[in-house]
Amino acid sequence: MSRKTSERGQLDLFHALPGEFAVRDAQDLMSYPFFSLSKSHRTRPIEFSAGNIEIRVEAVADHGMATIWDADILIWAASQIVEARDAGLRTSRLMAATPYQILTFIRRGTSARDYHRLKAALDRLQSTTVCTSIRQPAEGRRHRFSWINEWTERTDSGGRPDGIELIVPDWFYRAVLDDALILTIDRAYFDLTGGLDRWLYRLVRKHGGRQKAGWRFEFQHLHVKSGSLSPYKRFAFELRDIIRRQPLPGYRLALEIEARGRRLLAFEPCGQAVDGFVPSGTPIVVPSGTGPSCYREPVSGSSISKDNRIRGRNLDSNKESNSCCAAPAGDKPARGRSISLETDPRIDRPERPLGTSRRATT
């Protein structure tokens, strides 16, 4: 690694570290709806409000909103910064790397097409703006930023491409340097192909941690937290399909249905929650890596929990309730936009693909 003083203010140029190391993610990005869950072009803003947390994410028509796949670049940046800091090296918001370093870390191809996709992702991250009350010292104060302040292609003396420079925002950089706001995630996360799969893994990893008894969220609450444009019925269908497929590395999912009909997603660690080898969905018996070992086979249909345990109420790792709507006695419902025209299951509307607006379908 090398470092030099940049001409851009007081920022130092931080060069990416070589090699492969732990994958880190910022907890704030794992907990709240900051990214589009679809690869389709989205310009409709994300709006989320619960308690004293408010988020508004806006996109421009030219590039569209940054997607959860684009967020892999921020995971790469966070991993780089934490690794360098732990090694005693000086870090900076201004980072330099080759496309190859970024693409191989996030498990993408390295062809010319992948390079152009990387540049498109950088454009979306730079043009997407976020306004949030998270980590603001005064009530009513908001922080507005883009996921990347600016980025540029570097060239050598002959004018040939020589890498990429980018500047991450101060809001993100401060979170990365705070150990309490960073979690290690399974590298198999990059192999998840579905946007909802990726979002759910990050949420489960953040809220569930390694709690043996697991946790649970009401489907309606998850719909609100996702920021998805998918109607509730479509969203619930996709959640049930994820439960059937069991794609999340290190976690077992189950559907719980209460006597009054509330549907909840329950999840608990199965084996090693981070860097564990849990190839769920294979046609063979799968060792989860636990001791004593936990052998299981995939089953058809949704996995409905039949035990009598009362799972935790998400109090120590999640200050929000399990439910955004019909909370049982003792639960405090999340305030704010808990039910909207998009999330009310009583309003029957034609289903539409994730990431498309109602105007586009009429």
Side-chain angles (χ1 to χ4, degrees):
M1 169 184 172
S2 61
R3 182 175 57 84
K4 66 180 180 180
T5 302
S6 172
E7 296 177 355
R8 306 180 188 184
Q10 300 300 314
L11 290 178
D12 292 323
L13 186 62
F14 168 63
H15 286 268
L17 298 170
E20 190 173 284
F21 37 82
V23 182
R24 277 96 169 192
D25 202 354
Q27 292 195 42
D28 289 338
L29 275 63
M30 302 165 76
S31 304
Y32 299 106
F34 282 112
F35 303 98
S36 171
L37 303 187
S38 171
K39 291 182 179 180
S40 60
H41 192 88
R42 173 172 178 168
T43 56
R44 181 174 171 179
I46 294 175
E47 292 184 285
F48 176 83
S49 177
N52 61 348
I53 299 296
E54 291 188 7
I55 297 170
R56 180 177 174 88
V57 184
E58 299 173 320
V60 298
D62 286 347
H63 301 294
M65 184 176 294
T67 71
I68 199 164
W69 293 271
D70 301 336
D72 289 357
I73 298 173
L74 299 178
I75 294 176
W76 166 83
S79 305
Q80 286 281 339
I81 293 169
V82 173
E83 188 72 15
R85 183 206 61 187
D86 292 349
L89 303 173
R90 186 174 178 178
T91 63
S92 170
R93 292 167 50 212
L94 174 58
M95 307 178 67
T98 65
Y100 179 84
Q101 287 176 308
I102 299 175
L103 290 170
T104 54
F105 185 87
I106 62 178
R107 293 192 175 185
R108 306 281 179 89
T110 56
S111 66
R113 184 180 182 185
D114 294 305
Y115 177 50
H116 289 302
R117 287 177 174 174
L118 174 64
K119 292 196 294 182
L122 291 168
D123 283 338
R124 285 188 293 271
L125 290 168
Q126 193 278 323
S127 61
T128 298
T129 59
V130 179
C131 182
T132 182
S133 62
I134 296 175
R135 286 189 279 113
Q136 297 308 296
E139 185 177 355
R141 180 174 172 178
R142 301 291 182 270
H143 194 134
R144 183 178 287 274
F145 58 91
S146 296
W147 289 119
I148 292 178
N149 285 12
E150 58 182 277
W151 74 276
T152 184
E153 289 185 275
R154 302 171 61 191
T155 57
D156 59 20
S157 57
R160 293 179 294 272
D162 190 35
I164 291 172
E165 287 184 12
L166 58 90
I167 302 177
V168 296
D170 184 66
W171 185 90
F172 173 79
Y173 185 68
R174 289 178 182 271
V176 170
L177 293 181
D178 188 339
D179 284 336
L181 298 177
I182 287 293
L183 284 176
T184 302
I185 65 173
D186 197 313
R187 190 171 293 275
Y189 165 79
F190 295 126
D191 297 329
L192 296 176
T193 57
L196 191 59
D197 295 32
R198 284 169 158 251
W199 170 79
L200 189 59
Y201 172 80
R202 297 173 85 188
L203 186 78
V204 166
R205 174 68 184 99
K206 194 278 177 187
H207 291 305
R210 298 175 182 273
Q211 299 293 333
K212 294 182 179 179
W215 303 95
R216 62 181 185 173
F217 279 107
E218 187 184 1
F219 274 33
Q220 284 275 9
H221 187 40
L222 290 173
H223 189 208
V224 173
K225 285 181 71 73
S226 72
S228 171
L229 289 179
S230 176
Y232 173 73
K233 290 200 300 183
R234 171 65 179 268
F235 180 86
F237 171 81
E238 293 184 348
L239 274 186
R240 291 193 296 270
D241 184 61
I242 290 176
I243 295 171
R244 178 188 62 81
R245 293 186 286 109
Q246 295 291 329
L248 306 191
Y251 292 94
R252 179 187 291 112
L253 308 177
L255 171 64
E256 292 186 354
I257 304 177
E258 294 184 339
R260 56 183 169 176
R262 274 206 318 165
R263 283 174 166 76
L264 302 104
L265 174 71
F267 52 86
E268 59 185 22
C270 178
Q272 193 174 357
V274 177
D275 292 332
F277 182 64
V278 188
S280 304
T282 58
I284 58 174
V285 175
V286 177
S288 69
T290 59
S293 60
C294 169
Y295 288 93
R296 61 193 178 99
E297 292 181 346
V299 295
S300 59
S302 297
S303 174
I304 300 179
S305 177
K306 297 182 179 179
D307 59 34
N308 296 319
R309 289 178 298 168
I310 300 177
R311 297 177 188 272
R313 291 296 184 186
N314 302 351
L315 296 181
D316 59 352
S317 67
N318 176 19
K319 299 304 181 184
E320 299 172 53
S321 75
N322 299 298
S323 169
C324 68
C325 309
D331 277 353
K332 181 180 179 182
R335 299 192 302 274
R337 301 179 181 87
S338 57
I339 295 185
S340 67
L341 294 178
E342 287 297 313
T343 61
D344 193 342
R346 296 167 295 182
I347 300 176
D348 188 15
R349 289 192 179 87
E351 294 184 356
R352 57 182 182 271
L354 286 171
T356 60
S357 65
R358 185 182 298 112
R359 182 176 300 175
T361 61
T362 56

